[in-house]
PDB file of all heavy atoms in Angstrom:
ATOM      1  N   ALA R   5     119.286  67.448 147.430  1.00 95.00           N
ATOM      2  CA  ALA R   5     119.522  68.408 148.510  1.00 95.00           C
ATOM      3  C   ALA R   5     119.206  69.808 148.018  1.00 95.00           C
ATOM      4  O   ALA R   5     119.798  70.269 147.043  1.00 95.00           O
ATOM      5  CB  ALA R   5     120.974  68.324 148.983  1.00 95.00           C
ATOM      6  N   GLU R   6     118.266  70.454 148.711  1.00 97.00           N
ATOM      7  CA  GLU R   6     117.901  71.825 148.371  1.00 97.00           C
ATOM      8  C   GLU R   6     118.733  72.808 149.175  1.00 97.00           C
ATOM      9  O   GLU R   6     119.173  72.516 150.291  1.00 97.00           O
ATOM     10  CB  GLU R   6     116.424  72.093 148.690  1.00 97.00           C
ATOM     11  CG  GLU R   6     115.437  71.153 148.045  1.00 97.00           C
ATOM     12  CD  GLU R   6     115.071  69.993 148.946  1.00 97.00           C
ATOM     13  OE1 GLU R   6     115.869  69.687 149.865  1.00 97.00           O
ATOM     14  OE2 GLU R   6     114.016  69.385 148.746  1.00 97.00           O
ATOM     15  N   SER R   7     118.900  73.985 148.610  1.00 97.00           N
ATOM     16  CA  SER R   7     119.554  75.085 149.322  1.00 97.00           C
ATOM     17  C   SER R   7     119.045  76.393 148.745  1.00 97.00           C
ATOM     18  O   SER R   7     118.389  76.407 147.691  1.00 97.00           O
ATOM     19  CB  SER R   7     121.081  75.006 149.181  1.00 97.00           C
ATOM     20  OG  SER R   7     121.465  75.102 147.824  1.00 97.00           O
ATOM     21  N   GLY R   8     119.331  77.487 149.454  1.00 97.00           N
ATOM     22  CA  GLY R   8     118.981  78.806 148.943  1.00 97.00           C
ATOM     23  C   GLY R   8     117.776  79.447 149.595  1.00 97.00           C
ATOM     24  O   GLY R   8     117.426  80.585 149.275  1.00 97.00           O
ATOM     25  N   GLY R   9     117.115  78.725 150.495  1.00 97.00           N
ATOM     26  CA  GLY R   9     115.979  79.325 151.171  1.00 97.00           C
ATOM     27  C   GLY R   9     116.411  80.411 152.139  1.00 97.00           C
ATOM     28  O   GLY R   9     117.598  80.594 152.396  1.00 97.00           O
ATOM     29  N   GLY R  10     115.439  81.121 152.676  1.00 97.00           N
ATOM     30  CA  GLY R  10     115.755  82.174 153.631  1.00 97.00           C
ATOM     31  C   GLY R  10     114.593  83.102 153.845  1.00 97.00           C
ATOM     32  O   GLY R  10     113.463  82.808 153.454  1.00 97.00           O
ATOM     33  N   SER R  17     113.525  88.595 145.831  1.00 98.00           N
ATOM     34  CA  SER R  17     113.832  87.407 145.027  1.00 98.00           C
ATOM     35  C   SER R  17     114.689  86.424 145.804  1.00 98.00           C
ATOM     36  O   SER R  17     115.445  86.815 146.703  1.00 98.00           O
ATOM     37  CB  SER R  17     114.588  87.809 143.747  1.00 98.00           C
ATOM     38  OG  SER R  17     113.838  88.683 142.956  1.00 98.00           O
ATOM     39  N   LEU R  18     114.560  85.171 145.443  1.00 98.00           N
ATOM     40  CA  LEU R  18     115.417  84.106 145.961  1.00 98.00           C
ATOM     41  C   LEU R  18     115.651  83.101 144.850  1.00 98.00           C
ATOM     42  O   LEU R  18     114.788  82.934 143.970  1.00 98.00           O
ATOM     43  CB  LEU R  18     114.773  83.377 147.142  1.00 98.00           C
ATOM     44  CG  LEU R  18     114.829  84.013 148.527  1.00 98.00           C
ATOM     45  CD1 LEU R  18     114.018  83.167 149.505  1.00 98.00           C
ATOM     46  CD2 LEU R  18     116.256  84.163 149.012  1.00 98.00           C
ATOM     47  N   ARG R  19     116.792  82.421 144.922  1.00 98.00           N
ATOM     48  CA  ARG R  19     117.076  81.355 143.968  1.00 98.00           C
ATOM     49  C   ARG R  19     117.340  80.078 144.743  1.00 98.00           C
ATOM     50  O   ARG R  19     118.314  79.990 145.494  1.00 98.00           O
ATOM     51  CB  ARG R  19     118.283  81.712 143.113  1.00 98.00           C
ATOM     52  CG  ARG R  19     118.510  80.738 141.958  1.00 98.00           C
ATOM     53  CD  ARG R  19     119.808  81.032 141.279  1.00 98.00           C
ATOM     54  NE  ARG R  19     119.908  80.378 139.979  1.00 98.00           N
ATOM     55  CZ  ARG R  19     121.042  79.951 139.467  1.00 98.00           C
ATOM     56  NH1 ARG R  19     122.170  80.106 140.134  1.00 98.00           N
ATOM     57  NH2 ARG R  19     121.074  79.390 138.271  1.00 98.00           N
ATOM     58  N   LEU R  20     116.471  79.112 144.556  1.00 98.00           N
ATOM     59  CA  LEU R  20     116.644  77.813 145.194  1.00 98.00           C
ATOM     60  C   LEU R  20     117.435  76.896 144.272  1.00 98.00           C
ATOM     61  O   LEU R  20     117.262  76.921 143.055  1.00 98.00           O
ATOM     62  CB  LEU R  20     115.292  77.180 145.504  1.00 98.00           C
ATOM     63  CG  LEU R  20     114.327  78.001 146.352  1.00 98.00           C
ATOM     64  CD1 LEU R  20     113.067  77.184 146.640  1.00 98.00           C
ATOM     65  CD2 LEU R  20     114.975  78.461 147.639  1.00 98.00           C
ATOM     66  N   SER R  21     118.282  76.094 144.882  1.00 98.00           N
ATOM     67  CA  SER R  21     119.075  75.119 144.133  1.00 98.00           C
ATOM     68  C   SER R  21     118.742  73.720 144.598  1.00 98.00           C
ATOM     69  O   SER R  21     118.422  73.510 145.777  1.00 98.00           O
ATOM     70  CB  SER R  21     120.570  75.380 144.343  1.00 98.00           C
ATOM     71  OG  SER R  21     120.948  76.647 143.897  1.00 98.00           O
ATOM     72  N   CYS R  22     118.837  72.774 143.694  1.00 97.00           N
ATOM     73  CA  CYS R  22     118.646  71.362 144.029  1.00 97.00           C
ATOM     74  C   CYS R  22     119.804  70.603 143.411  1.00 97.00           C
ATOM     75  O   CYS R  22     119.974  70.616 142.185  1.00 97.00           O
ATOM     76  CB  CYS R  22     117.322  70.860 143.492  1.00 97.00           C
ATOM     77  SG  CYS R  22     117.047  69.087 143.759  1.00 97.00           S
ATOM     78  N   GLU R  23     120.572  69.977 144.254  1.00 93.00           N
ATOM     79  CA  GLU R  23     121.710  69.214 143.771  1.00 93.00           C
ATOM     80  C   GLU R  23     121.491  67.740 144.041  1.00 93.00           C
ATOM     81  O   GLU R  23     121.129  67.358 145.152  1.00 93.00           O
ATOM     82  CB  GLU R  23     122.998  69.685 144.441  1.00 93.00           C
ATOM     83  CG  GLU R  23     124.247  69.060 143.864  1.00 93.00           C
ATOM     84  CD  GLU R  23     125.467  69.948 144.015  1.00 93.00           C
ATOM     85  OE1 GLU R  23     125.334  71.070 144.549  1.00 93.00           O
ATOM     86  OE2 GLU R  23     126.549  69.517 143.586  1.00 93.00           O
ATOM     87  N   TRP R  36     109.472  71.115 141.655  1.00 98.00           N
ATOM     88  CA  TRP R  36     109.462  71.795 142.947  1.00 98.00           C
ATOM     89  C   TRP R  36     108.036  71.799 143.484  1.00 98.00           C
ATOM     90  O   TRP R  36     107.083  72.070 142.725  1.00 98.00           O
ATOM     91  CB  TRP R  36     109.961  73.226 142.824  1.00 98.00           C
ATOM     92  CG  TRP R  36     111.434  73.323 142.606  1.00 98.00           C
ATOM     93  CD1 TRP R  36     112.080  73.324 141.398  1.00 98.00           C
ATOM     94  CD2 TRP R  36     112.456  73.406 143.598  1.00 98.00           C
ATOM     95  NE1 TRP R  36     113.437  73.410 141.583  1.00 98.00           N
ATOM     96  CE2 TRP R  36     113.690  73.453 142.939  1.00 98.00           C
ATOM     97  CE3 TRP R  36     112.445  73.446 144.988  1.00 98.00           C
ATOM     98  CZ2 TRP R  36     114.913  73.557 143.618  1.00 98.00           C
ATOM     99  CZ3 TRP R  36     113.659  73.535 145.666  1.00 98.00           C
ATOM    100  CH2 TRP R  36     114.867  73.589 144.981  1.00 98.00           C
ATOM    101  N   PHE R  37     107.928  71.491 144.747  1.00 98.00           N
ATOM    102  CA  PHE R  37     106.671  71.530 145.461  1.00 98.00           C
ATOM    103  C   PHE R  37     106.878  72.387 146.701  1.00 98.00           C
ATOM    104  O   PHE R  37     108.013  72.643 147.097  1.00 98.00           O
ATOM    105  CB  PHE R  37     106.232  70.124 145.889  1.00 98.00           C
ATOM    106  CG  PHE R  37     105.806  69.249 144.740  1.00 98.00           C
ATOM    107  CD1 PHE R  37     106.734  68.716 143.851  1.00 98.00           C
ATOM    108  CD2 PHE R  37     104.462  68.950 144.538  1.00 98.00           C
ATOM    109  CE1 PHE R  37     106.345  67.912 142.791  1.00 98.00           C
ATOM    110  CE2 PHE R  37     104.059  68.144 143.485  1.00 98.00           C
ATOM    111  CZ  PHE R  37     105.001  67.621 142.612  1.00 98.00           C
ATOM    112  N   ARG R  38     105.784  72.811 147.317  1.00 98.00           N
ATOM    113  CA  ARG R  38     105.909  73.574 148.563  1.00 98.00           C
ATOM    114  C   ARG R  38     104.776  73.191 149.506  1.00 98.00           C
ATOM    115  O   ARG R  38     103.708  72.759 149.080  1.00 98.00           O
ATOM    116  CB  ARG R  38     105.890  75.072 148.288  1.00 98.00           C
ATOM    117  CG  ARG R  38     104.585  75.624 147.738  1.00 98.00           C
ATOM    118  CD  ARG R  38     104.748  77.076 147.373  1.00 98.00           C
ATOM    119  NE  ARG R  38     103.498  77.648 146.879  1.00 98.00           N
ATOM    120  CZ  ARG R  38     103.388  78.872 146.373  1.00 98.00           C
ATOM    121  NH1 ARG R  38     104.468  79.666 146.277  1.00 98.00           N
ATOM    122  NH2 ARG R  38     102.224  79.321 145.967  1.00 98.00           N
ATOM    123  N   VAL R  48     104.578  73.322 142.341  1.00 98.00           N
ATOM    124  CA  VAL R  48     105.015  74.679 142.013  1.00 98.00           C
ATOM    125  C   VAL R  48     105.482  74.759 140.553  1.00 98.00           C
ATOM    126  O   VAL R  48     104.983  75.569 139.780  1.00 98.00           O
ATOM    127  CB  VAL R  48     106.166  75.130 142.933  1.00 98.00           C
ATOM    128  CG1 VAL R  48     106.700  76.495 142.508  1.00 98.00           C
ATOM    129  CG2 VAL R  48     105.706  75.170 144.386  1.00 98.00           C
ATOM    130  N   PHE R  68     108.086  82.801 138.816  1.00 98.00           N
ATOM    131  CA  PHE R  68     109.081  81.767 139.090  1.00 98.00           C
ATOM    132  C   PHE R  68     109.555  81.171 137.774  1.00 98.00           C
ATOM    133  O   PHE R  68     108.797  81.052 136.818  1.00 98.00           O
ATOM    134  CB  PHE R  68     108.493  80.651 139.939  1.00 98.00           C
ATOM    135  CG  PHE R  68     108.162  81.014 141.361  1.00 98.00           C
ATOM    136  CD1 PHE R  68     108.165  82.323 141.814  1.00 98.00           C
ATOM    137  CD2 PHE R  68     107.841  80.008 142.275  1.00 98.00           C
ATOM    138  CE1 PHE R  68     107.863  82.646 143.115  1.00 98.00           C
ATOM    139  CE2 PHE R  68     107.535  80.306 143.592  1.00 98.00           C
ATOM    140  CZ  PHE R  68     107.534  81.632 144.006  1.00 98.00           C
ATOM    141  N   THR R  69     110.834  80.773 137.761  1.00 98.00           N
ATOM    142  CA  THR R  69     111.407  80.123 136.592  1.00 98.00           C
ATOM    143  C   THR R  69     112.231  78.925 137.034  1.00 98.00           C
ATOM    144  O   THR R  69     113.117  79.062 137.884  1.00 98.00           O
ATOM    145  CB  THR R  69     112.310  81.093 135.808  1.00 98.00           C
ATOM    146  OG1 THR R  69     111.572  82.252 135.438  1.00 98.00           O
ATOM    147  CG2 THR R  69     112.835  80.413 134.542  1.00 98.00           C
ATOM    148  N   ILE R  70     111.922  77.780 136.441  1.00 98.00           N
ATOM    149  CA  ILE R  70     112.695  76.574 136.736  1.00 98.00           C
ATOM    150  C   ILE R  70     113.679  76.330 135.603  1.00 98.00           C
ATOM    151  O   ILE R  70     113.363  76.580 134.424  1.00 98.00           O
ATOM    152  CB  ILE R  70     111.773  75.349 136.950  1.00 98.00           C
ATOM    153  CG1 ILE R  70     112.581  74.133 137.424  1.00 98.00           C
ATOM    154  CG2 ILE R  70     110.974  75.034 135.692  1.00 98.00           C
ATOM    155  CD1 ILE R  70     111.707  72.956 137.856  1.00 98.00           C
ATOM    156  N   SER R  71     114.872  75.881 135.953  1.00 97.00           N
ATOM    157  CA  SER R  71     115.874  75.550 134.948  1.00 97.00           C
ATOM    158  C   SER R  71     116.654  74.323 135.407  1.00 97.00           C
ATOM    159  O   SER R  71     116.616  73.958 136.587  1.00 97.00           O
ATOM    160  CB  SER R  71     116.813  76.731 134.697  1.00 97.00           C
ATOM    161  OG  SER R  71     117.443  77.138 135.894  1.00 97.00           O
ATOM    162  N   LYS R  76     121.512  68.998 138.149  1.00 91.00           N
ATOM    163  CA  LYS R  76     121.206  70.137 139.010  1.00 91.00           C
ATOM    164  C   LYS R  76     120.007  70.889 138.443  1.00 91.00           C
ATOM    165  O   LYS R  76     119.797  70.919 137.234  1.00 91.00           O
ATOM    166  CB  LYS R  76     122.396  71.094 139.081  1.00 91.00           C
ATOM    167  CG  LYS R  76     123.630  70.509 139.739  1.00 91.00           C
ATOM    168  CD  LYS R  76     124.724  71.562 139.828  1.00 91.00           C
ATOM    169  CE  LYS R  76     125.977  71.012 140.470  1.00 91.00           C
ATOM    170  NZ  LYS R  76     127.043  72.033 140.562  1.00 91.00           N
ATOM    171  N   ASN R  77     119.239  71.511 139.317  1.00 95.00           N
ATOM    172  CA  ASN R  77     118.186  72.391 138.852  1.00 95.00           C
ATOM    173  C   ASN R  77     117.987  73.539 139.822  1.00 95.00           C
ATOM    174  O   ASN R  77     118.437  73.479 140.974  1.00 95.00           O
ATOM    175  CB  ASN R  77     116.892  71.629 138.567  1.00 95.00           C
ATOM    176  CG  ASN R  77     116.096  71.322 139.800  1.00 95.00           C
ATOM    177  OD1 ASN R  77     115.200  72.052 140.194  1.00 95.00           O
ATOM    178  ND2 ASN R  77     116.409  70.208 140.447  1.00 95.00           N
ATOM    179  N   TRP R  78     117.338  74.572 139.355  1.00 98.00           N
ATOM    180  CA  TRP R  78     117.173  75.800 140.107  1.00 98.00           C
ATOM    181  C   TRP R  78     115.746  76.318 139.976  1.00 98.00           C
ATOM    182  O   TRP R  78     115.082  76.088 138.950  1.00 98.00           O
ATOM    183  CB  TRP R  78     118.125  76.890 139.586  1.00 98.00           C
ATOM    184  CG  TRP R  78     119.560  76.505 139.695  1.00 98.00           C
ATOM    185  CD1 TRP R  78     120.413  76.747 140.739  1.00 98.00           C
ATOM    186  CD2 TRP R  78     120.336  75.793 138.731  1.00 98.00           C
ATOM    187  NE1 TRP R  78     121.657  76.237 140.479  1.00 98.00           N
ATOM    188  CE2 TRP R  78     121.641  75.633 139.245  1.00 98.00           C
ATOM    189  CE3 TRP R  78     120.049  75.265 137.470  1.00 98.00           C
ATOM    190  CZ2 TRP R  78     122.655  74.975 138.556  1.00 98.00           C
ATOM    191  CZ3 TRP R  78     121.058  74.600 136.783  1.00 98.00           C
ATOM    192  CH2 TRP R  78     122.334  74.457 137.321  1.00 98.00           C
ATOM    193  N   LEU R  79     115.301  77.008 140.999  1.00 98.00           N
ATOM    194  CA  LEU R  79     114.013  77.682 140.957  1.00 98.00           C
ATOM    195  C   LEU R  79     114.275  79.154 141.288  1.00 98.00           C
ATOM    196  O   LEU R  79     114.565  79.486 142.426  1.00 98.00           O
ATOM    197  CB  LEU R  79     113.020  77.075 141.945  1.00 98.00           C
ATOM    198  CG  LEU R  79     111.610  77.658 141.874  1.00 98.00           C
ATOM    199  CD1 LEU R  79     110.938  77.260 140.561  1.00 98.00           C
ATOM    200  CD2 LEU R  79     110.775  77.177 143.061  1.00 98.00           C
ATOM    201  N   GLN R  80     114.213  79.989 140.273  1.00 98.00           N
ATOM    202  CA  GLN R  80     114.372  81.428 140.461  1.00 98.00           C
ATOM    203  C   GLN R  80     113.020  82.008 140.805  1.00 98.00           C
ATOM    204  O   GLN R  80     112.064  81.862 140.036  1.00 98.00           O
ATOM    205  CB  GLN R  80     114.918  82.083 139.188  1.00 98.00           C
ATOM    206  CG  GLN R  80     115.081  83.574 139.305  1.00 98.00           C
ATOM    207  CD  GLN R  80     116.181  83.982 140.264  1.00 98.00           C
ATOM    208  OE1 GLN R  80     117.294  83.458 140.219  1.00 98.00           O
ATOM    209  NE2 GLN R  80     115.878  84.918 141.138  1.00 98.00           N
ATOM    210  N   MET R  81     112.943  82.656 141.966  1.00 98.00           N
ATOM    211  CA  MET R  81     111.667  83.200 142.441  1.00 98.00           C
ATOM    212  C   MET R  81     111.793  84.716 142.537  1.00 98.00           C
ATOM    213  O   MET R  81     112.699  85.218 143.221  1.00 98.00           O
ATOM    214  CB  MET R  81     111.325  82.610 143.813  1.00 98.00           C
ATOM    215  CG  MET R  81     111.331  81.094 143.821  1.00 98.00           C
ATOM    216  SD  MET R  81     110.770  80.374 145.384  1.00 98.00           S
ATOM    217  CE  MET R  81     112.043  80.954 146.485  1.00 98.00           C
ATOM    218  N   LEU R  84     108.280  88.009 145.122  1.00 98.00           N
ATOM    219  CA  LEU R  84     107.769  87.118 146.158  1.00 98.00           C
ATOM    220  C   LEU R  84     106.685  87.774 146.985  1.00 98.00           C
ATOM    221  O   LEU R  84     106.711  88.990 147.248  1.00 98.00           O
ATOM    222  CB  LEU R  84     108.909  86.628 147.041  1.00 98.00           C
ATOM    223  CG  LEU R  84     109.762  85.537 146.405  1.00 98.00           C
ATOM    224  CD1 LEU R  84     111.117  85.413 147.095  1.00 98.00           C
ATOM    225  CD2 LEU R  84     109.029  84.205 146.441  1.00 98.00           C
ATOM    226  N   ASP R  88     103.788  83.022 149.437  1.00 98.00           N
ATOM    227  CA  ASP R  88     104.787  82.072 148.940  1.00 98.00           C
ATOM    228  C   ASP R  88     105.560  81.419 150.088  1.00 98.00           C
ATOM    229  O   ASP R  88     106.370  80.514 149.848  1.00 98.00           O
ATOM    230  CB  ASP R  88     105.782  82.778 148.009  1.00 98.00           C
ATOM    231  CG  ASP R  88     105.146  83.278 146.726  1.00 98.00           C
ATOM    232  OD1 ASP R  88     104.323  82.537 146.157  1.00 98.00           O
ATOM    233  OD2 ASP R  88     105.469  84.404 146.316  1.00 98.00           O
ATOM    234  N   ALA R  90     106.681  78.984 152.653  1.00 98.00           N
ATOM    235  CA  ALA R  90     106.471  77.537 152.734  1.00 98.00           C
ATOM    236  C   ALA R  90     107.835  76.855 152.801  1.00 98.00           C
ATOM    237  O   ALA R  90     108.872  77.497 152.593  1.00 98.00           O
ATOM    238  CB  ALA R  90     105.717  77.025 151.505  1.00 98.00           C
ATOM    239  N   VAL R  91     107.797  75.566 153.074  1.00 98.00           N
ATOM    240  CA  VAL R  91     108.975  74.736 152.865  1.00 98.00           C
ATOM    241  C   VAL R  91     108.925  74.265 151.415  1.00 98.00           C
ATOM    242  O   VAL R  91     107.904  73.735 150.962  1.00 98.00           O
ATOM    243  CB  VAL R  91     109.004  73.535 153.823  1.00 98.00           C
ATOM    244  CG1 VAL R  91     110.212  72.654 153.517  1.00 98.00           C
ATOM    245  CG2 VAL R  91     109.033  74.004 155.263  1.00 98.00           C
ATOM    246  N   TYR R  92     110.019  74.466 150.699  1.00 98.00           N
ATOM    247  CA  TYR R  92     110.088  74.113 149.281  1.00 98.00           C
ATOM    248  C   TYR R  92     110.888  72.814 149.133  1.00 98.00           C
ATOM    249  O   TYR R  92     111.996  72.686 149.669  1.00 98.00           O
ATOM    250  CB  TYR R  92     110.736  75.233 148.489  1.00 98.00           C
ATOM    251  CG  TYR R  92     109.782  76.377 148.239  1.00 98.00           C
ATOM    252  CD1 TYR R  92     109.378  77.211 149.280  1.00 98.00           C
ATOM    253  CD2 TYR R  92     109.256  76.613 146.970  1.00 98.00           C
ATOM    254  CE1 TYR R  92     108.486  78.246 149.072  1.00 98.00           C
ATOM    255  CE2 TYR R  92     108.366  77.659 146.741  1.00 98.00           C
ATOM    256  CZ  TYR R  92     107.986  78.460 147.795  1.00 98.00           C
ATOM    257  OH  TYR R  92     107.099  79.490 147.567  1.00 98.00           O
ATOM    258  N   TYR R  93     110.322  71.893 148.376  1.00 98.00           N
ATOM    259  CA  TYR R  93     110.928  70.582 148.174  1.00 98.00           C
ATOM    260  C   TYR R  93     111.268  70.365 146.699  1.00 98.00           C
ATOM    261  O   TYR R  93     110.460  70.658 145.815  1.00 98.00           O
ATOM    262  CB  TYR R  93     109.968  69.479 148.594  1.00 98.00           C
ATOM    263  CG  TYR R  93     109.612  69.486 150.062  1.00 98.00           C
ATOM    264  CD1 TYR R  93     108.527  70.213 150.526  1.00 98.00           C
ATOM    265  CD2 TYR R  93     110.363  68.752 150.977  1.00 98.00           C
ATOM    266  CE1 TYR R  93     108.200  70.227 151.868  1.00 98.00           C
ATOM    267  CE2 TYR R  93     110.037  68.753 152.322  1.00 98.00           C
ATOM    268  CZ  TYR R  93     108.962  69.495 152.757  1.00 98.00           C
ATOM    269  OH  TYR R  93     108.640  69.499 154.092  1.00 98.00           O
ATOM    270  N   CYS R  94     112.446  69.828 146.471  1.00 97.00           N
ATOM    271  CA  CYS R  94     112.851  69.387 145.149  1.00 97.00           C
ATOM    272  C   CYS R  94     112.446  67.926 144.999  1.00 97.00           C
ATOM    273  O   CYS R  94     112.524  67.150 145.966  1.00 97.00           O
ATOM    274  CB  CYS R  94     114.364  69.543 145.027  1.00 97.00           C
ATOM    275  SG  CYS R  94     115.076  68.922 143.502  1.00 97.00           S
ATOM    276  N   GLY R 117     113.893  69.563 151.917  1.00 97.00           N
ATOM    277  CA  GLY R 117     113.171  70.830 151.946  1.00 97.00           C
ATOM    278  C   GLY R 117     114.017  71.990 152.429  1.00 97.00           C
ATOM    279  O   GLY R 117     114.975  71.807 153.186  1.00 97.00           O
ATOM    280  N   THR R 118     113.652  73.181 151.987  1.00 98.00           N
ATOM    281  CA  THR R 118     114.306  74.406 152.435  1.00 98.00           C
ATOM    282  C   THR R 118     113.221  75.454 152.687  1.00 98.00           C
ATOM    283  O   THR R 118     112.272  75.592 151.916  1.00 98.00           O
ATOM    284  CB  THR R 118     115.333  74.907 151.393  1.00 98.00           C
ATOM    285  OG1 THR R 118     116.027  76.048 151.906  1.00 98.00           O
ATOM    286  CG2 THR R 118     114.684  75.286 150.062  1.00 98.00           C
ATOM    287  N   GLN R 119     113.357  76.160 153.817  1.00 98.00           N
ATOM    288  CA  GLN R 119     112.327  77.111 154.234  1.00 98.00           C
ATOM    289  C   GLN R 119     112.475  78.423 153.484  1.00 98.00           C
ATOM    290  O   GLN R 119     113.571  78.999 153.411  1.00 98.00           O
ATOM    291  CB  GLN R 119     112.432  77.363 155.731  1.00 98.00           C
ATOM    292  CG  GLN R 119     111.459  78.406 156.267  1.00 98.00           C
ATOM    293  CD  GLN R 119     110.020  77.933 156.273  1.00 98.00           C
ATOM    294  OE1 GLN R 119     109.739  76.818 156.711  1.00 98.00           O
ATOM    295  NE2 GLN R 119     109.106  78.767 155.794  1.00 98.00           N
ATOM    296  N   VAL R 120     111.358  78.899 152.962  1.00 98.00           N
ATOM    297  CA  VAL R 120     111.285  80.230 152.364  1.00 98.00           C
ATOM    298  C   VAL R 120     110.241  81.023 153.149  1.00 98.00           C
ATOM    299  O   VAL R 120     109.096  80.569 153.281  1.00 98.00           O
ATOM    300  CB  VAL R 120     110.888  80.159 150.877  1.00 98.00           C
ATOM    301  CG1 VAL R 120     110.597  81.555 150.326  1.00 98.00           C
ATOM    302  CG2 VAL R 120     111.988  79.483 150.071  1.00 98.00           C
TER     303      VAL R 120
END
Side-chain angles (χ1 to χ4, degrees):
E6 304 94 338
S7 61
S17 300
L18 280 175
R19 189 188 195 212
L20 304 184
S21 299
C22 176
E23 187 152 359
W36 287 89
F37 290 73
R38 66 186 182 186
V48 175
F68 291 11
T69 303
I70 187 171
S71 57
K76 295 183 180 180
N77 80 94
W78 300 269
L79 185 69
Q80 179 69 47
M81 306 186 296
L84 283 161
D88 294 319
V91 177
Y92 282 71
Y93 297 90
C94 175
T118 184
Q119 176 71 47
V120 171

